[in-house]
Amino acid sequence: MKFAHIADVHLGREQFNQPFRYEDYLKAFREAIEKSVKANVDFILIAGDLFHVSRPSPRTIRDAVEVLELPRRKGIPVFAIEGNHDKTIRETSVFDLLEHLGLIYTVGLKREPREGEFQGSKRLSENRYLIWGQVGDLEIHGLRHHTRWQLIRNDGAINVLKALFKGKKGILMLHQAIDYLAKDTPYQDAFDLKLSELPDGFSYYALGHIHVRRIAEPSQTGLSGPLAYPGSLERTEVREASHLIRYSSRDRKPKIMENREGPKGFYIVEDFQPKFVEVDARPFYSVRVEGNSKSELKKKVEEVSSLIPKDAIAVITLEGTVKGGIALAEFNDLLKDSGIRYYTFRSRVVGEAVLSKERLSEEELFTEWERELLMHLRVEPKEFSEGLTEFVSWLMERYEKGTPSNVPVSKKTGATPEMKEEKTAEAREEAPQKARVPEKPPEEKKPAKTGKSGKEEKDHEGKPVPKPKNPGSLDAWLRRGKP
Ligand SMILES: [Mn+2]
């Protein structure tokens, strides 16, 4: 049995608002699928975030369909779960469309049972079914992304994953940050699940969400199979740069090195042993230049630019203490004839007058959430505003329908019972907060960009959640949404 394990494709993303980045993300996906087909795998897993947003553009859908037709033509099934970026509470999602076209099989909880060559299902309650993939004797289980407080309830008394997958074997696909593997990555702040909260018994844990590759063997974890994150297929942010250039005040010339988090790709898994297969992602340079005057910084930037390949992306961070501060616009001009595909400057330069002695880092000045917000505003204002628009409409949808006992949702929105159930469930979970606007709204909508959602989600643990009648049972969880 041989399969491919892909995650975090983020199809449709135009990083830095650059159309060529759309093509890069698509190219990486096509390469991964082509290499999987060529390796003659029995099936392909996509462990969440196939799309960058839950409502991808028609162009993105068309491109996804075109690529996913490659395995279908060879009779290779593709099993998928939704990640935090592409999950939706809407009745019909792009995943349903792809499934309808016979291009993917989604696994997890569904309203309808699934029958067919590659799928199995089990009735859990009146209108809930557990759906899994089936290839020969092997079962491929999974659950789309959930927040920690949806999975681990009542201070750990209820573990939805353990209840749902009790006694199951085969493969488990999840899109969550597991603390054990996240801790030594640039995504160490991400936290959804402790190692001990994972259900045991599976031969392979196909994970997504952490954008760098990591494997933990059973000898390290005590679990029945390896845990594996293949990482994202393209470089989604500066911490995944291919190369690092550092030019500090003490250095006479810049130091250049490869980033160990740089290589991008996916796993081909044979006998449940993952082997990394690299895809050709665009070179991405993380550059840090330190200087104590504008002229020193400029001179160093010019020197460094000759080390950056023309087809690369470069994020150049200026550091140091400069009297009067600096204006980034002056630096943009320096490189406009460099031919570098895309570059951007960030400033950590401190004006002497403001902070003379101690240099405070961004980490010290801002909360995690503020930094996240600033990063979006600074780097990807367009994307941020799209995300915000989506969030606002989601919020309005939610408030429009009032309290759960209030309105017949379906009349207004045409929602099906499942949608109603899901929404009501959400409304109940949020009931204690209903009277006011959540303080930190964008977290839930855009948590994964840096995987920094963990801390905030943890906060939810302590908040009062209405008690189900029989809190210990899976059935109670499944029935939560019912009126
Ligand atoms: Mn992701």
Side-chain angles (χ1 to χ4, degrees):
M1 192 67 73
K2 182 155 82 167
F3 62 91
H5 170 195
I6 296 169
D8 295 284
V9 185
H10 288 264
L11 220 54
R13 184 171 191 209
E14 274 189 16
Q15 194 182 21
F16 304 114
N17 290 323
Q18 299 296 306
F20 76 87
R21 284 305 270 164
Y22 177 94
E23 300 296 337
D24 287 350
Y25 280 65
L26 173 61
K27 188 173 143 275
F29 182 48
R30 186 176 286 124
E31 187 180 336
I33 292 290
E34 279 173 354
K35 283 184 168 166
S36 303
V37 169
K38 217 172 160 196
N40 230 341
V41 296
D42 296 296
F43 57 93
I44 295 170
L45 305 178
I46 301 178
D49 286 357
L50 170 57
F51 297 102
H52 189 56
V53 292
S54 63
R55 276 185 284 188
S57 70
R59 178 192 178 196
T60 308
I61 297 170
R62 184 203 65 191
D63 287 338
V65 166
E66 195 194 306
V67 174
L68 289 167
E69 266 171 357
L70 304 172
R72 190 188 51 181
R73 279 203 289 271
K74 302 273 180 184
I76 300 170
V78 176
F79 301 101
I81 53 169
E82 295 164 270
N84 54 313
H85 274 259
D86 50 15
K87 73 176 176 183
T88 174
I89 58 165
R90 285 168 212 105
E91 178 196 2
T92 304
S93 73
V94 63
F95 280 72
D96 294 300
L97 172 67
L98 296 177
E99 194 160 359
H100 185 76
L101 294 171
L103 296 169
I104 62 168
Y105 301 93
T106 52
V107 301
L109 291 171
K110 302 273 173 195
R111 197 175 122 65
E112 305 281 346
R114 298 283 200 280
E115 305 296 340
E117 195 188 347
F118 295 119
Q119 275 179 308
S121 51
K122 185 187 156 198
R123 188 168 180 264
L124 297 173
S125 68
E126 203 183 315
N127 54 2
R128 283 280 175 148
Y129 294 83
L130 182 67
I131 311 293
W132 63 86
Q134 186 87 46
V135 180
D137 290 339
L138 185 70
E139 292 185 0
I140 297 134
H141 288 277
L143 192 67
R144 70 178 200 184
H145 172 268
H146 284 77
T147 54
R148 175 175 174 78
W149 53 279
Q150 288 173 318
L151 295 175
I152 308 295
R153 295 169 174 276
N154 291 20
D155 282 329
I158 307 175
N159 180 324
V160 170
L161 290 175
K162 283 191 177 176
L164 207 50
F165 298 112
K166 194 178 173 193
K168 301 279 187 250
K169 288 195 208 100
I171 293 169
L172 182 63
M173 224 188 329
L174 294 174
H175 191 89
Q176 310 286 161
I178 314 293
D179 63 348
Y180 182 83
L181 279 163
K183 69 177 189 290
D184 69 330
T185 71
Y187 298 92
Q188 56 198 321
D189 296 334
F191 168 68
D192 297 320
L193 292 168
K194 295 177 207 159
L195 192 58
S196 60
E197 287 164 345
L198 284 172
D200 198 13
F202 290 93
S203 305
Y204 186 86
Y205 295 79
L207 306 173
H209 194 46
I210 301 291
H211 282 192
V212 294
R213 69 190 201 283
R214 286 292 185 277
I215 295 171
E217 297 295 344
S219 58
Q220 299 168 267
T221 62
L223 284 165
S224 46
L227 308 183
Y229 287 104
S232 56
L233 283 181
E234 245 291 351
R235 302 195 165 91
T236 58
E237 59 151 294
V238 70
R239 293 179 296 183
E240 300 158 34
S242 59
H243 294 79
L244 312 172
I245 297 179
R246 299 289 177 260
Y247 202 171
S248 82
S249 293
R250 298 177 301 274
D251 298 328
R252 282 162 189 269
K253 57 185 181 62
K255 283 188 239 166
I256 182 164
M257 59 207 123
E258 280 181 27
N259 183 7
R260 73 183 187 103
E261 307 291 8
K264 286 292 169 192
F266 66 103
Y267 294 123
I268 299 260
V269 187
E270 235 177 322
D271 299 325
F272 302 115
Q273 291 303 308
K275 247 171 80 195
F276 189 66
V277 178
E278 202 166 338
V279 301
D280 186 23
R282 184 177 292 277
F284 193 127
Y285 280 62
S286 166
V287 183
R288 275 156 77 169
V289 171
E290 195 184 6
N292 293 315
S293 69
K294 214 183 280 180
S295 60
E296 185 189 347
L297 283 168
K298 283 186 176 175
K299 192 183 122 281
K300 283 180 161 177
V301 164
E302 280 180 327
E303 214 177 310
V304 145
S305 70
S306 63
L307 299 172
I308 302 168
K310 299 277 178 277
D311 63 341
I313 287 167
V315 175
I316 305 164
T317 306
L318 305 172
E319 300 177 331
T321 307
V322 175
K323 207 172 182 179
I326 56 159
L328 284 180
E330 294 178 61
F331 288 82
N332 274 322
D333 284 352
L334 276 181
L335 294 189
K336 69 177 195 294
D337 299 322
S338 68
I340 297 169
R341 189 66 203 256
Y342 176 81
Y343 61 86
T344 183
F345 284 98
R346 295 173 185 180
S347 174
R348 285 195 199 160
V349 169
V350 179
E352 239 171 5
V354 189
L355 298 160
S356 55
K357 226 173 163 197
E358 214 174 323
R359 275 179 45 206
L360 290 176
S361 69
E362 237 173 54
E363 281 77 5
E364 291 165 303
L365 279 169
F366 302 108
T367 67
E368 187 177 285
W369 184 75
E370 284 165 343
R371 271 186 280 134
E372 174 93 340
L373 193 67
L374 284 170
M375 190 190 80
H376 286 297
L377 286 169
R378 205 155 51 192
V379 183
E380 292 172 300
K382 183 178 152 213
E383 191 178 278
F384 178 81
S385 72
E386 275 170 11
L388 193 65
T389 308
E390 211 186 8
F391 168 72
V392 169
S393 64
W394 169 82
L395 193 69
M396 282 172 68
E397 249 174 59
R398 176 173 285 209
Y399 278 81
E400 198 180 334
K401 79 177 196 285
T403 56
S405 57
N406 197 352
V407 234
V409 179
S410 49
K411 233 181 208 170
K412 201 157 193 178
T413 60
T416 66
E418 187 192 27
M419 185 178 176
K420 220 187 327 188
E421 185 185 327
E422 278 196 43
K423 285 186 142 191
T424 316
E426 285 206 10
R428 275 202 198 174
E429 281 156 12
E430 303 248 319
Q433 296 175 295
K434 261 187 106 52
R436 57 188 172 86
V437 173
E439 276 168 32
K440 297 177 174 181
E443 281 162 20
E444 198 182 321
K445 203 60 205 171
K446 302 213 80 177
K449 181 62 52 59
T450 58
K452 277 184 177 175
S453 56
K455 272 186 188 159
E456 291 83 8
E457 281 162 21
K458 256 200 315 195
D459 292 344
H460 287 283
E461 277 180 283
K463 282 178 185 156
V465 176
K467 263 193 182 160
K469 275 174 201 144
N470 175 5
S473 75
L474 172 64
D475 192 52
W477 183 73
L478 292 166
R479 285 171 191 281
R480 283 177 57 81
K482 294 203 183 143

